[in-house]
Amino acid sequence: MPITVKRLSNKSANNPNSDNPAQATLPAPAFNRQSGNVPYAATVQFSALDVPAGAVVEYSADGGTNWATGQAVTVLSETTILARTRLNNQVSATASAQYAPYFRRVFILGNSITGISPVPEIGWTGNWGMAASSADKDYVHLLTAQLKNRYADIQVKPIAGSSFERTWWTYDMSSSLDEHLPFDGNGPDLVIVRIGENMDDTQVEPQNLERYYRQLLDYLIKYSKGPVKVVCTTTFYAGQEKANAVIRKVAAEKGYPVADIQSLAGDATLRATQYSNAGLAQHPNDAGMQKIADLIWQVVK
């Protein structure tokens, strides 16, 4: 009698597109949160059911180049998480999910580039980031629009930090900041320290900017009851190498990212040269504001 031979597939419910028997015998992990926006510092967990004895769950946050054993990660920036089950040399199908953190309470310590009321004597009539052509063109509003794409009910508080810039060694943090830092019983979960342009570089060492800048960063998170992301920035103006060096050093010590706005200092096309007043003209124009917003967003997201 003729004999019919039929090859049976190794595909499984966990990975129906795979013919790899090693993958077919191990269940892939599942995530407890779907891909999407999650609160800053949210914990994402992943686990697999009915795993054989000795199997482990491992994950990768760099596209599969490196793997670590574990079943949870904390979302601190845009990330894609890969997860799989391993038993010796056998691995399951790879599960993946994409996450982006959102913020609820944002505090921005800035100067005239952040916002300033009219100064008619120099030709400034706006009430937003100086030299932007309209409120929606300054970096605060551009950045806020990006943040609202992830969380529509976000609160953003920009305030002036020019007093710290000019005389940081006598700056009273309590009287200057305490009324602004709280958000309905909590502190910010995102702090952007967008200052520096008014600093006198010759005073950086004599007046110990490093000490006071470190104290400022600590003070800005005093009301926050949960994790906080702190973003520092260098300056839009040139000639402040010592101040920028201090900003980078202290931020690095604390593990805070720095938006390197100083990289824009040499580009005259980003300045508001349409104004005759020299002080106003050195501020960022609309293109400069967009660049500042983009650089900050890259380290925020």
Side-chain angles (χ1 to χ4, degrees):
M1 296 178 61
I3 299 175
T4 300
V5 178
K6 182 178 180 181
R7 181 176 182 273
L8 298 177
S9 172
N10 288 308
K11 297 176 183 177
S12 71
N14 293 307
N15 188 18
N17 296 316
S18 173
D19 286 316
N20 185 332
Q23 289 186 342
T25 58
L26 289 175
F31 291 84
N32 73 326
R33 292 177 181 263
Q34 298 297 315
S35 293
N37 300 334
V38 297
Y40 176 70
T43 298
V44 173
Q45 297 177 329
F46 33 88
S47 58
L49 298 175
D50 301 322
V51 295
V56 297
V57 173
E58 54 186 18
Y59 68 92
S60 172
D62 60 6
T65 301
N66 297 288
W67 293 84
T69 301
Q71 298 186 62
V73 295
T74 301
V75 179
L76 302 175
S77 61
E78 280 186 343
T79 186
T80 297
I81 304 299
L82 306 180
R84 67 189 184 187
T85 309
R86 172 181 288 280
L87 178 62
N88 300 322
N89 293 326
Q90 297 181 358
V91 293
S92 73
T94 300
S96 68
Q98 299 80 41
Y99 301 100
Y102 64 77
F103 300 90
R104 298 181 177 94
R105 303 171 301 277
V106 182
F107 182 84
I108 303 175
L109 186 66
N111 49 36
S112 59
I113 297 175
T114 296
I116 188 170
S117 55
V119 189
E121 58 269 26
I122 67 171
W124 174 245
T125 58
N127 192 17
W128 50 80
M130 183 169 270
S133 62
S134 60
D136 63 331
K137 297 293 179 62
D138 73 19
Y139 88 86
V140 172
H141 288 81
L142 293 168
L143 188 60
T144 299
Q146 292 275 29
L147 291 163
K148 283 188 173 182
N149 285 334
R150 293 187 179 174
Y151 185 72
D153 294 329
I154 192 170
Q155 300 178 67
V156 180
K157 285 186 184 180
I159 75 160
S162 302
S163 296
F164 178 88
E165 293 177 300
R166 292 190 173 94
T167 53
W168 55 83
W169 55 95
T170 61
Y171 182 73
D172 188 332
M173 296 185 192
S174 177
S175 63
S176 300
L177 299 173
D178 281 357
E179 67 176 299
H180 304 291
L181 280 170
F183 288 74
D184 300 325
N186 204 334
D189 53 5
L190 172 61
V191 172
I192 299 171
V193 191
R194 174 66 288 278
I195 57 175
E197 284 76 13
N198 295 303
M199 290 177 178
D200 182 349
D201 225 40
T202 66
Q203 296 300 310
V204 167
E205 293 169 348
Q207 300 297 342
N208 200 349
L209 175 62
E210 182 178 330
R211 171 191 173 189
Y212 292 103
Y213 189 74
R214 186 179 290 111
Q215 290 178 356
L216 175 67
L217 296 187
D218 290 340
Y219 203 92
L220 290 172
I221 63 174
K222 67 173 289 189
Y223 288 99
S224 300
K225 298 176 180 177
V228 188
K229 183 161 190 172
V230 178
V231 174
C232 302
T233 78
T234 51
T235 66
F236 183 73
Y237 299 165
Q240 293 174 302
E241 288 77 11
K242 290 180 180 179
N244 285 318
V246 167
I247 290 169
R248 292 190 182 98
K249 178 182 179 181
V250 176
E253 288 175 0
K254 293 183 171 295
Y256 296 161
V258 175
D260 190 13
I261 293 172
Q262 193 183 32
S263 63
L264 309 177
D267 191 343
T269 66
L270 302 179
R271 298 188 182 279
T273 54
Q274 70 270 26
Y275 292 100
S276 58
N277 179 271
L280 182 49
Q282 69 177 337
H283 283 69
N285 56 19
D286 288 354
M289 287 289 189
Q290 183 68 65
K291 289 282 190 180
I292 291 172
D294 290 345
L295 286 171
I296 295 174
W297 178 243
Q298 288 303 312
V299 296
V300 166
K301 70 176 185 174

Coordinates of all heavy atoms in Angstrom, one line a residue, residues 10 18 22 37 71 89 105 120 128 135 149 164 175 185-187 191 198-199 209-210 213 242 252 262 264 276-277 293:
N10 N 6.1 23.0 13.6 CA 6.4 23.3 15.0 C 5.8 24.6 15.5 O 6.2 25.1 16.5 CB 7.9 23.4 15.2 CG 8.6 22.0 15.1 OD1 8.1 21.1 15.8 ND2 9.6 21.9 14.3
S18 N 6.6 30.8 13.6 CA 7.9 30.2 13.8 C 7.8 28.7 13.6 O 6.9 28.0 14.0 CB 8.4 30.6 15.2 OG 9.6 29.9 15.4
A22 N 12.6 25.3 19.4 CA 13.0 25.8 20.7 C 12.0 26.9 21.1 O 11.6 27.1 22.2 CB 14.4 26.4 20.6
N37 N 1.5 55.9 26.2 CA 2.0 56.8 27.1 C 1.8 56.3 28.6 O 0.7 55.9 28.9 CB 1.4 58.2 26.9 CG 1.6 58.7 25.5 OD1 2.6 58.4 24.9 ND2 0.7 59.6 25.1
Q71 N 11.9 41.0 35.4 CA 10.5 41.0 34.9 C 9.8 42.4 35.1 O 8.6 42.5 35.1 CB 9.7 40.0 35.7 CG 10.1 38.5 35.4 CD 9.2 37.5 36.1 OE1 8.1 37.4 35.7 NE2 9.8 36.7 37.0
N89 N 19.9 27.2 26.3 CA 20.1 27.8 25.0 C 18.8 28.0 24.2 O 18.9 28.5 23.1 CB 21.1 27.0 24.2 CG 22.5 27.0 24.8 OD1 22.9 28.0 25.3 ND2 23.2 25.9 24.7
R105 N 3.2 67.8 36.1 CA 3.5 69.1 36.7 C 4.9 69.5 36.3 O 5.9 68.8 36.7 CB 3.4 68.9 38.2 CG 2.1 68.5 38.7 CD 2.1 68.1 40.2 NE 3.1 67.1 40.5 CZ 2.8 65.8 40.4 NH1 1.6 65.4 40.0 NH2 3.8 64.9 40.7
P120 N 8.7 98.7 26.8 CA 8.5 99.6 25.6 C 9.8 100.4 25.3 O 10.0 100.7 24.1 CB 7.4 100.5 26.0 CG 6.6 99.8 27.1 CD 7.7 99.0 27.8
W128 N 5.7 87.4 26.6 CA 6.1 86.0 26.4 C 7.6 85.9 26.3 O 8.3 86.9 26.6 CB 5.4 85.3 25.2 CG 5.5 86.1 24.0 CD1 6.5 86.2 23.1 CD2 4.5 87.0 23.4 NE1 6.3 87.0 22.0 CE2 5.0 87.5 22.2 CE3 3.2 87.4 23.8 CZ2 4.4 88.4 21.4 CZ3 2.5 88.3 23.0 CH2 3.1 88.8 21.8
A135 N 3.3 84.5 21.2 CA 3.4 83.7 22.4 C 3.6 82.2 22.0 O 4.4 81.5 22.6 CB 2.2 83.8 23.3
N149 N 0.8 66.6 24.0 CA 0.5 65.5 23.1 C 0.5 64.2 23.9 O -0.1 63.2 23.4 CB 1.5 65.4 22.0 CG 1.3 66.5 20.9 OD1 0.2 67.0 20.7 ND2 2.4 66.8 20.2
F164 N 18.6 84.9 40.6 CA 19.7 83.9 40.9 C 20.9 84.1 39.9 O 22.0 84.0 40.3 CB 19.2 82.4 40.7 CG 20.2 81.4 40.9 CD1 20.5 80.9 42.2 CD2 21.0 80.9 39.9 CE1 21.4 80.0 42.5 CE2 22.0 79.9 40.1 CZ 22.2 79.5 41.4
S175 N 12.1 82.6 49.7 CA 11.2 83.7 49.3 C 11.0 83.7 47.8 O 9.9 84.2 47.4 CB 11.8 85.0 49.8 OG 13.0 85.3 49.2
G185 N -0.4 70.5 46.5 CA 0.1 69.6 47.5 C 1.2 68.7 47.1 O 1.7 67.8 47.8
N186 N 1.7 68.9 45.8 CA 2.8 68.1 45.4 C 3.8 69.0 44.7 O 3.5 70.2 44.4 CB 2.4 67.0 44.4 CG 3.3 65.8 44.3 OD1 4.5 65.9 44.6 ND2 2.8 64.7 44.0
G187 N 5.0 68.5 44.4 CA 5.9 69.3 43.6 C 5.9 68.9 42.2 O 5.2 68.0 41.8
V191 N 11.4 69.3 36.1 CA 12.0 70.6 36.3 C 13.0 70.9 35.2 O 13.8 70.1 34.9 CB 12.7 70.6 37.7 CG1 13.5 71.9 37.8 CG2 11.8 70.4 38.8
N198 N 22.3 85.6 32.1 CA 22.6 86.8 32.9 C 23.7 86.6 33.9 O 24.0 87.5 34.7 CB 21.3 87.3 33.6 CG 20.2 87.8 32.7 OD1 20.4 88.6 31.9 ND2 19.1 87.1 32.8
M199 N 24.4 85.5 33.8 CA 25.5 85.3 34.7 C 26.8 86.0 34.3 O 27.1 86.0 33.1 CB 25.8 83.8 34.8 CG 24.7 83.0 35.6 SD 25.0 81.2 35.6 CE 23.7 80.6 36.6
L209 N 29.8 79.7 42.1 CA 28.6 79.3 41.4 C 28.3 77.8 41.6 O 27.2 77.4 41.8 CB 28.7 79.6 39.9 CG 27.5 79.1 39.1 CD1 26.2 79.7 39.5 CD2 27.8 79.4 37.6
E210 N 29.4 77.0 41.6 CA 29.2 75.5 41.7 C 28.4 75.2 43.0 O 27.5 74.4 43.0 CB 30.5 74.8 41.7 CG 30.4 73.3 41.8 CD 31.7 72.6 41.8 OE1 32.7 73.1 41.1 OE2 31.8 71.5 42.4
Y213 N 24.7 76.6 42.6 CA 23.9 75.9 41.6 C 23.5 74.5 42.1 O 22.4 74.1 41.9 CB 24.7 75.8 40.3 CG 23.9 75.3 39.1 CD1 23.0 76.1 38.5 CD2 24.1 74.0 38.6 CE1 22.3 75.7 37.4 CE2 23.4 73.6 37.5 CZ 22.5 74.4 36.9 OH 21.8 73.9 35.8
K242 N 32.8 79.5 31.7 CA 32.9 79.0 33.1 C 31.6 78.6 33.6 O 31.5 77.6 34.3 CB 33.6 80.1 33.9 CG 35.1 80.3 33.6 CD 35.7 81.4 34.5 CE 37.1 81.6 34.1 NZ 37.8 82.7 35.0
A252 N 26.1 66.5 35.8 CA 26.7 65.2 35.6 C 26.8 64.5 37.0 O 26.6 63.3 37.1 CB 28.1 65.3 35.0
Q262 N 24.2 75.9 24.3 CA 25.4 76.7 23.9 C 25.9 76.4 22.5 O 26.5 77.2 21.8 CB 26.6 76.4 24.9 CG 27.7 77.4 24.7 CD 28.9 77.1 25.6 OE1 29.2 75.9 25.9 NE2 29.6 78.1 26.0
L264 N 24.2 76.6 20.0 CA 23.5 77.5 19.1 C 24.1 78.9 19.1 O 23.8 79.8 18.3 CB 22.0 77.6 19.5 CG 21.2 76.3 19.6 CD1 19.8 76.7 20.1 CD2 21.2 75.6 18.3
S276 N 16.5 96.9 16.9 CA 17.7 97.8 16.9 C 18.3 97.8 18.3 O 19.5 98.1 18.4 CB 17.2 99.2 16.6 OG 16.2 99.7 17.5
N277 N 17.6 97.5 19.3 CA 18.2 97.5 20.6 C 19.1 96.3 20.7 O 18.7 95.1 20.5 CB 17.1 97.4 21.7 CG 17.7 97.3 23.1 OD1 17.9 96.2 23.6 ND2 17.9 98.5 23.8
A293 N 13.6 74.8 22.0 CA 12.5 73.8 22.3 C 12.9 72.4 21.9 O 12.7 71.4 22.6 CB 11.2 74.2 21.7

